[in-house]
Amino acid sequence: MRMRAAVRRTLVLMWKELLELKRDPRLLNIVILAPVLQLLMLGYAATTDVRNVPMVVADADRSVASRQLIDRFNDSPYFTVTHVVTTVDQVDPDLTKGTAWMALSIPAGYGNHLGTGVPQTVQVIADGSDSNSATIALGNATALLAGYTKQLVAARSPAAAAAGFDARIRIWFNPRLESRDFMVPGVLALLLVVVTAIMSSMAIVREREIGTLEQLNVTPIGRGELIVGKLVPYAVLGLVDVVLVIAVALLWFQVPLRGSLALLFVLTLVYLLTALGLGLFVSTVSDTQQQAMMTAMFFFLMPMIYLSGFVFPIANMPRVIQWLTYLIPLRYYLVIVRGIFLKGVGLEALWPQAAALAVWGTAILGLAVARSTKRVR
Amino acid sequence: MNTGADTITVDRLTRRFGDFVAVDDLSFGVHQGEIFGFLGANGAGKSTTIRMLCGLLLPTSGTATVGGVDVRRDPEGVKRRIGYMSQKFSLYEQLTVDENIRFFAGIYGLSRAKFEERHRFVIEMAGLEGRGRSLTRDLPGGVRQRLALGCAILHEPPIVFLDEPTGGVDPLSRRRFWRLIDTLSAQGVTVLVTTHYMDEAEHCHRIAIMHAGRLAALGTTSELKGLFRGRSIVEIDTGNPVMAMRVLQDAPAVEKTSVFGTAVHAVLRHGDDDLAELRQRLTAAGLTVGAIAPVEPSLEDVFLDVMDRRAS
Ligand SMILES: Nc1ncnc2c1ncn2[C@@H]1O[C@H](COP(=O)(O)OP(=O)(O)OP(=O)(O)O)[C@@H](O)[C@H]1O
Ligand SMILES: [Mg+2]
């Protein structure tokens, strides 16, 4: 009897919440437009692919062989040779002005010595002011040179090639070398937590601000009923976002999904609960919507983004901070979402992360219930 | 003052916020079926008292019972016996009239049959026939207040707390609202209501005047007016009330003065024997003076008098 009354109150609260959400003119923007636009934007921006790097070549050799090498660079999608000069000091102005990010220097006699056994050194100079891009571009250049060398050797001496020349560059899990395939699932994870946590952080504090919370507090509604009644409607909206965002990742960015879509969906739901629980918890401890927004953003979401491994690799963090990252749900979900998308692994590999998320979600929801008092002390 | 039959008993109730004492050692009782008014300046502690009595705020010390239930020990028990309209607006503006009623009926666990009956009652008392589908946001203030009252008493509580229910509402709507309060009281419902309007206060069976967290005066309207026994009030018609007040302040017979509409009220120390002298003083100061007549003290006179004496 008691239970039935509690269930009824919870359902009535959900119904009311959905009605209010439905009539909120900002809803469409927050739930649909913002996440999709952000995923599109971040999906394009948060890519570490460095393509069409402008390149200047100092060709002191001017032979057929040197021209072949230059063409090789120019034909690659990663480089565009802007112009060719003769000596190394002539590349300087281009690098300082930024019209070229990279320079290739081919020594005189390169063509003549090729194939004679005399080791040839070509020099690659990169503008290090954007060290990230430089490292990636250098990697691309190295790979290109290695491939080219292997080809040259094979052409002149098939035996040597067969004997096992190896460029020793291998790419795992992301053979298309698309950093977008790696980034988009991460952006998806980020977006879901930001949108749902911020949305639900408004849920209770909004009523506190308007004054209706005090009205609710004189009714028989229980604290758990309040939290669950608020949680479920926002979970429904979160689910809409999940479907939307996964659809954009698969259909628009064509990120290959190697694992199970159903598993991805279920684990994303668990992740959603942690984000919603976090938002509701913030909502119970805040006095105003603005305060809730700030608390959610600066105390929870920002540290989460920085410490999750999304921006900086966890392996490179100091030991203490590494321990701290275990407190961050995004950390677990990143492993899950990348694992399912890129490696195609299943629950047998991901259960620790799934369990961590479930524990986290339960704990934060429990805290939210405990914090939402019906009487001010 | 506290008889055993009181439905609300308040005993040395105190609430602090940090060092600040918002409600200070408050004691009184409210009879069943009574309309009990709470008067007091902004910040006097009226809302704080009501929130403690509704089980929304824990008292720092002292006790209170509402409907026989201790507010400190069983706030949820109190909540089952009361209806409460907070000072802030307490309906969902994005919901329609019907949806608001349905929501609160659901939260209070009304049966289907009961819901139909109460829904009809609320629509009728709020004067919302045929407007069930209007968004609450679009209703005029007076109608919204009546609807809010209806939603607060859907579960037919025997005790109702109304915190400034008619703030910002036109006089006609206020009168209509008070007819509802009278009806409730006639049905035996106890109503504790705060207001800043003196005409509303006159309507209460008894009035408590709060000042800085303390109970400054308590009684029926006529009991409160008895505070003026031995003194008298004259109303002075004059073209320049401000100037007249300044002149009167120097008259030895005058205890104090206040503006009352376009006239001046002067409280005289011993009877109305000095009226001629007052007129003389005023004309001597170059003021045109109309009638000077003794008047019954109004509740406003009482209120201002109590405030003054508390402040000094
Ligand atoms: N939560 C709180 N924290 C700190 N101070 C508070 C709190 N609630 C009320 N106060 C203070 O307690 C005092 C009494 O407030 P209260 O709202 O009870 O006054 P009131 O008589 O209802 O006034 P009004 O006529 O303006 O509604 C005020 O000075 C107010 O600032
Ligand atoms: Mg108040």
Side-chain angles (χ1 to χ4, degrees):
Chain A
M1 204 51 222
R2 260 207 160 149
M3 192 62 202
R4 267 188 55 187
V7 169
R8 177 166 173 210
R9 285 193 294 264
T10 313
L11 288 174
V12 168
L13 184 61
M14 287 177 197
W15 165 77
K16 187 273 294 178
E17 208 67 24
L18 281 172
L19 271 180
E20 276 192 301
L21 284 169
K22 202 179 83 189
R23 300 206 179 121
D24 188 342
R26 297 169 305 176
L27 186 71
L28 189 73
N29 287 335
I30 296 176
V31 179
I32 297 181
L33 254 61
V36 170
L37 280 180
Q38 281 188 49
L39 182 60
L40 286 178
M41 255 160 33
L42 287 173
Y44 280 114
T47 160
T48 49
D49 281 352
V50 180
R51 287 166 191 271
N52 293 322
V53 170
M55 185 174 199
V56 55
V57 181
D59 183 3
D61 193 41
R62 301 272 174 184
S63 63
V64 177
S66 73
R67 228 158 294 134
Q68 231 173 31
L69 182 61
I70 295 168
D71 285 346
R72 191 67 186 224
F73 269 92
N74 212 7
D75 292 344
S76 142
Y78 299 113
F79 303 98
T80 304
V81 175
T82 53
H83 58 293
V84 180
V85 294
T86 312
T87 63
V88 181
D89 22 302
Q90 285 171 303
V91 308
D92 222 38
D94 281 302
L95 285 179
T96 35
K97 269 187 293 177
T99 45
W101 292 5
M102 198 173 228
L104 172 72
S105 163
I106 307 171
Y110 164 81
N112 286 339
H113 288 112
L114 213 58
T116 60
V118 180
Q120 285 305 300
T121 310
V122 297
Q123 198 179 357
V124 179
I125 305 155
D127 172 3
S129 54
D130 177 356
S131 64
N132 248 336
S133 311
T135 312
I136 292 158
L138 276 176
N140 289 339
T142 315
L144 186 146
L145 285 170
Y148 184 57
T149 315
K150 193 171 152 192
Q151 211 181 336
L152 281 180
V153 171
R156 282 168 207 238
S157 150
F165 266 98
D166 191 352
R168 283 178 200 285
I169 291 176
R170 238 191 237 144
I171 297 123
W172 287 12
F173 300 134
N174 193 0
R176 293 200 293 156
L177 240 192
E178 282 276 3
S179 68
R180 192 167 292 140
D181 290 355
F182 181 71
M183 294 305 280
V184 165
V187 170
L188 179 155
L190 209 71
L191 208 62
L192 279 179
V193 71
V194 170
V195 171
T196 49
I198 293 218
M199 223 163 39
S200 61
S201 75
M202 300 293 133
I204 292 171
V205 73
R206 186 169 43 89
E207 291 214 34
R208 195 192 314 272
E209 241 178 41
I210 308 169
T212 46
L213 187 65
E214 186 142 295
Q215 201 63 42
L216 273 186
N217 280 344
V218 291
T219 71
I221 197 157
R223 300 182 302 169
E225 299 162 29
L226 179 70
I227 295 294
V228 175
K230 291 273 176 184
L231 177 84
V232 173
Y234 286 92
V236 171
L237 293 189
L239 267 181
V240 172
D241 270 345
V242 169
V243 172
L244 218 62
V245 164
I246 290 183
V248 171
L250 292 180
L251 303 177
W252 181 267
F253 287 115
Q254 312 237 313
V255 175
L257 177 67
R258 299 205 169 76
S260 142
L261 184 61
L263 181 67
L264 178 66
F265 211 74
V266 169
L267 293 186
T268 303
L269 201 64
V270 179
Y271 175 61
L272 212 59
L273 286 188
T274 70
L276 290 169
L278 176 68
L280 286 176
F281 171 71
V282 169
S283 204
T284 59
V285 298
S286 305
D287 288 329
T288 63
Q289 294 190 64
Q290 195 177 359
Q291 194 189 338
M293 175 89 118
M294 293 295 168
T295 311
M297 206 62 219
F298 291 108
F299 282 92
F300 293 98
L301 295 176
M302 302 260 269
M304 221 182 244
I305 292 166
Y306 289 129
L307 296 180
S308 62
F310 179 75
V311 181
F312 310 115
I314 292 174
N316 294 355
M317 294 176 188
R319 187 43 53 89
V320 187
I321 308 278
Q322 284 196 17
W323 282 108
L324 214 61
T325 63
Y326 285 104
L327 291 174
I328 294 191
L330 183 54
R331 175 200 164 120
Y332 303 108
Y333 185 65
L334 276 179
V335 175
I336 290 174
V337 74
R338 284 177 176 158
I340 295 179
F341 264 105
L342 300 175
K343 299 191 208 169
V345 292
L347 205 54
E348 72 290 338
L350 297 175
W351 69 266
Q353 279 77 17
L357 278 187
V359 168
W360 210 97
T362 314
I364 194 79
L365 278 172
L367 261 179
V369 172
R371 282 293 321 194
S372 69
T373 48
K374 282 185 78 181
R375 178 163 72 170
V376 179
R377 306 218 125 250
Chain B
M1 203 186 314
N2 284 7
T3 70
D6 284 347
T7 39
I8 302 173
T9 65
V10 177
D11 187 21
R12 312 207 60 177
L13 198 65
T14 301
R15 172 70 205 204
R16 291 171 205 277
F17 294 108
D19 287 338
F20 177 72
V21 189
V23 173
D24 192 3
D25 206 23
L26 204 61
S27 300
F28 61 87
V30 182
H31 319 315
Q32 197 222 317
E34 190 172 30
I35 304 176
F36 190 90
F38 245 24
L39 276 180
N42 294 128
K46 306 179 295 292
S47 297
T48 307
T49 306
I50 287 189
R51 295 181 66 230
M52 285 192 282
L53 294 180
C54 290
L56 289 168
L57 186 69
L58 188 70
T60 309
S61 65
T63 56
T65 63
V66 172
V69 179
D70 189 323
V71 296
R72 184 189 290 281
R73 272 205 297 269
D74 186 11
E76 293 304 305
V78 167
K79 287 168 189 175
R80 276 195 294 276
R81 289 163 173 80
I82 62 159
Y84 168 58
M85 239 179 103
S86 74
Q87 196 170 350
K88 284 186 176 177
F89 186 59
S90 52
L91 294 172
Y92 295 95
E93 303 210 353
Q94 302 287 349
L95 263 52
T96 65
V97 170
D98 282 343
E99 286 162 354
N100 263 300
I101 299 173
R102 189 173 287 274
F103 173 70
F104 284 107
I107 294 289
Y108 279 116
L110 263 54
S111 69
R112 180 177 293 270
K114 196 78 199 167
F115 167 74
E116 297 295 340
E117 177 200 324
R118 296 302 284 169
H119 178 263
R120 235 184 345 254
F121 162 77
V122 173
I123 290 288
E124 201 176 305
M125 69 165 262
L128 279 167
E129 289 89 351
R131 301 198 56 185
R133 300 217 178 148
S134 304
L135 280 186
T136 310
R137 169 184 67 195
D138 299 332
L139 300 176
V143 180
R144 280 202 284 190
Q145 304 293 56
R146 290 199 294 272
L147 178 60
L149 174 63
C151 288
I153 58 170
L154 270 175
H155 55 306
E156 301 174 270
I159 302 161
V160 177
F161 293 92
L162 307 174
D163 197 353
E164 278 187 49
T166 55
V169 164
D170 69 75
L172 217 63
S173 298
R174 286 208 283 133
R175 185 158 309 163
R176 195 164 165 185
F177 194 94
W178 273 83
R179 274 210 296 276
L180 295 174
I181 294 181
D182 285 336
T183 311
L184 284 174
S185 162
Q187 291 164 352
V189 175
T190 309
V191 180
L192 195 153
V193 56
T194 75
T195 180
H196 288 295
Y197 298 108
M198 293 302 151
D199 58 327
E200 293 188 353
E202 302 248 13
H203 211 104
C204 299
H205 297 134
R206 281 194 304 151
I207 301 154
I209 300 180
M210 281 191 80
H211 179 78
R214 291 178 152 266
L215 190 65
L218 174 78
T220 61
T221 308
S222 57
E223 278 166 3
L224 289 178
K225 287 176 180 172
L227 292 171
F228 277 92
R229 216 164 302 141
R231 298 178 292 169
S232 66
I233 297 182
V234 290
E235 186 167 290
I236 300 158
D237 248 341
T238 165
N240 188 344
V242 180
M243 180 73 176
M245 278 174 71
R246 207 170 301 149
V247 174
L248 290 171
Q249 239 123 54
D250 299 331
V254 174
E255 185 185 306
K256 64 185 169 200
T257 55
S258 55
V259 177
F260 205 87
T262 58
V264 173
H265 275 195
V267 178
L268 305 185
R269 279 184 227 281
H270 13 252
D272 50 352
D273 34 290
D274 300 324
L275 293 193
E277 197 233 317
L278 290 187
R279 181 177 293 276
Q280 223 165 26
R281 274 179 179 266
L282 289 167
T283 35
L287 287 157
T288 49
V289 184
I292 300 185
V295 289
E296 268 284 292
S298 69
L299 197 54
E300 187 162 336
D301 291 315
V302 176
F303 180 73
L304 293 173
D305 186 53
V306 169
M307 292 292 131
D308 269 357
R309 277 193 290 173
R310 279 281 161 171
S312 58

